[in-house]
């Protein structure tokens, strides 16, 4: 394992999307678009830009349209070609060529740790990345969040969790890390001595929250296999990473970039506005509209 590069990533996408009902009654939440692009495509693009070659998506029975999205669509291609829409043809073909994407079903909704365990045979004995679909990270000036974590992994050859500081009022929503007091942080990298899933504000060991990006060694699977249920009655990835610290070092990397919580309605709306303000064809009209709204508020 020690010399292997990070080539594979896992994207867990088996959640029910309850927070976005009724939109998610018949459509996976990963296909909800920010402007015109499904959230899962932003995640796949980040993985590919970070050097990932093979992606395993953990799905459930309601996710066929996600598989279709990353596949060829010959009928649509033929119709667009007939009407001379060649730019659109290129766009839909590019999506199908982005990466080698595989799918496996999580048969029971037993939590994130259980979903990751479904990737065991796909990953084998390689280090691998995890990207959570609810966390969209934009880093306009530098490397994508995952690439930053992979850089940290290459430096330490140890598991890395991506963190950012969150306010006290939000620690209960996340996995919160506890930095080791005996090792000095090195820039954005901090050695950890503990991790706790969704603590109460008063119990949180820090304000550093894991925000949907991980690079882990395959040893995590040994711990996931024996992991008992934790917060929310689910098998938690956080609990298994905490146990991994018994045998291997684990670090937090405070990644650079703006992170949107696309699993939350307000976070989704913020992402939609910011992404639209970044589109040349939309920015002028949207900015004028926002200014007009602000005057009326
Ligand atoms: C999951 C993880 C949590 C992490 C969060 C990031 O929680 O269990 O540790 O901080 O993602 O978004 P979820 O949001 O699925 O409840």
């Amino acid at each position: 394992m020690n010399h292997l590069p990070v080539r594979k990533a896992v994207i867990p996408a088996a959640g029910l999307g309850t927070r976005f009902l009724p939109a998610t009654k018949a459509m996976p939440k990963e296909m909800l678009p920010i402007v015109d692009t499904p959230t899962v495509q932003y995640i796949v693009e980040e993985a590919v830009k970070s050097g990932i070659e093979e992606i395993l998506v953990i799905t459930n029975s309601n996710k066929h349209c996600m598989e279709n999205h990353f596949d060829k669509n010959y009928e649509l291609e033929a119709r667009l070609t007939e009407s001379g829409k060649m730019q659109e043809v290129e766009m839909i073909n590019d999506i199908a060529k982005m990466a080698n994407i595989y799918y496996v079903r999580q048969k029971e909704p037993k939590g994130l740790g259980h979903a990751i365990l479904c990737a065991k045979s796909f990953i084998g004995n390689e280090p691998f990345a995890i990207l959570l679909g609810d966390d969209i990270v934009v880093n306009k000036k530098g490397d994508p969040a995952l690439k930053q974590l992979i850089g940290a992994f290459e430096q330490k050859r140890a598991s890395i969790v991506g963190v950012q500081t969150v306010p006290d009022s939000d620690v209960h929503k996340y996995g919160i890390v506890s930095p080791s007091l005996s090792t000095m942080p090195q820039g954005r990298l901090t050695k950890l001595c503990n991790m706790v899933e969704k603590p109460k504000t008063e119990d949180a060991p820090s304000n550093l929250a894991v925000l949907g990006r991980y690079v882990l060694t395959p040893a995590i699977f040994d711990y996931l296999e024996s992991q008992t249920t934790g917060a929310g009655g689910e098998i938690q990835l956080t609990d298994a990473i905490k146990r991994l610290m018994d045998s291997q070092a684990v670090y937090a990397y405070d990644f650079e970039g703006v992170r949107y919580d696309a699993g939350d309605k307000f976070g989704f709306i913020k992402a939609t506005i910011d992404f639209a303000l970044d589109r040349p064809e939309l920015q002028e009209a949207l900015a004028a509209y926002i200014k007009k709204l602000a005057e009326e508020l």
Side-chain angles (χ1 to χ4, degrees):
M1 195 293 289
N2 252 338
H3 54 283
L4 296 172
V6 183
R7 291 188 318 112
K8 293 181 181 173
V10 181
I11 300 178
L16 293 178
T18 330
R19 282 192 277 178
F20 281 91
L21 282 168
T24 48
K25 185 178 173 199
M27 182 176 71
K29 70 171 174 176
E30 294 77 12
M31 289 302 291
L32 292 175
I34 294 179
V35 186
D36 50 14
T37 303
T39 56
V40 66
Q41 187 177 324
Y42 292 108
I43 301 291
V44 169
E45 283 170 0
E46 180 185 328
V48 172
K49 283 186 200 144
S50 303
I52 296 296
E53 295 162 10
E54 315 240 288
I55 297 174
L56 181 71
V57 184
I58 315 291
T59 65
N60 65 24
S61 55
N62 193 19
K63 310 278 177 165
H64 292 295
C65 67
M66 201 160 55
E67 295 181 30
N68 292 341
H69 182 74
F70 290 106
D71 198 356
K72 292 274 279 179
N73 182 335
Y74 292 104
E75 196 182 327
L76 178 62
E77 193 180 324
R79 288 187 182 204
L80 289 170
T81 308
E82 266 168 39
S83 29
K85 299 198 163 144
M86 299 322 287
Q87 242 181 325
E88 284 80 356
V89 170
E90 199 183 321
M91 180 209 285
I92 63 160
N93 283 339
D94 283 350
I95 298 169
K97 283 189 279 192
M98 251 189 285
N100 291 324
I101 306 186
Y102 307 85
Y103 303 87
V104 67
R105 280 192 189 180
Q106 182 185 17
K107 294 181 186 69
E108 295 162 279
K110 287 191 187 168
L112 179 60
H114 179 259
I116 300 301
L117 184 55
C118 298
K120 185 178 181 229
S121 59
F122 173 81
I123 297 299
N125 196 32
E126 297 183 31
F128 68 104
I130 301 172
L131 301 100
L132 303 188
D134 283 347
D135 299 288
I136 300 204
V137 186
V138 179
N139 189 26
K140 285 189 200 160
K141 292 195 199 111
D143 285 339
L146 181 62
K147 194 165 181 183
Q148 298 173 48
L149 263 66
I150 292 175
F153 174 83
E154 282 164 358
Q155 195 184 327
K156 293 287 174 194
R157 300 307 301 181
S159 295
I160 312 281
V161 297
V163 298
Q164 282 190 339
T165 303
V166 297
D168 286 349
S169 54
D170 282 353
V171 291
H172 71 279
K173 296 184 193 167
Y174 302 110
I176 302 292
V177 303
S178 187
S180 154
L181 296 175
S182 56
T183 317
M184 282 290 285
Q186 280 178 280
R188 293 178 171 271
L189 253 183
T190 310
K191 192 170 182 210
L192 301 182
C193 65
N194 199 0
M195 237 173 122
V196 45
E197 180 70 11
K198 302 193 173 70
K200 288 186 193 147
T201 314
E202 57 273 27
D203 298 335
S206 77
N207 282 57
L208 290 172
V210 180
L211 297 179
R213 299 292 181 275
Y214 310 75
V215 175
L216 300 177
T217 64
I220 193 68
F221 293 114
D222 297 340
Y223 294 94
L224 284 172
E225 271 177 332
S226 58
Q227 188 57 54
T228 50
T229 52
E234 295 188 337
I235 295 177
Q236 295 291 352
L237 178 60
T238 299
D239 296 340
I241 298 175
K242 177 188 165 176
R243 288 169 57 230
L244 177 66
M245 288 175 206
D246 293 341
S247 61
Q248 294 183 357
V250 176
Y251 292 82
Y253 187 85
D254 189 350
F255 62 82
E256 199 181 30
V258 180
R259 174 256 179 187
Y260 297 91
D261 181 1
D264 166 76
K265 279 178 204 156
F266 186 53
F268 194 90
I269 292 166
K270 282 202 272 189
T272 304
I273 293 172
D274 283 1
F275 281 48
L277 283 172
D278 227 30
R279 294 288 184 91
E281 75 278 19
L282 292 171
Q283 56 192 191
E284 201 180 307
L286 182 58
Y289 179 65
I290 291 170
K291 281 183 196 149
K292 182 171 158 283
L293 277 182
E295 279 161 21
E296 288 165 8
L297 283 175

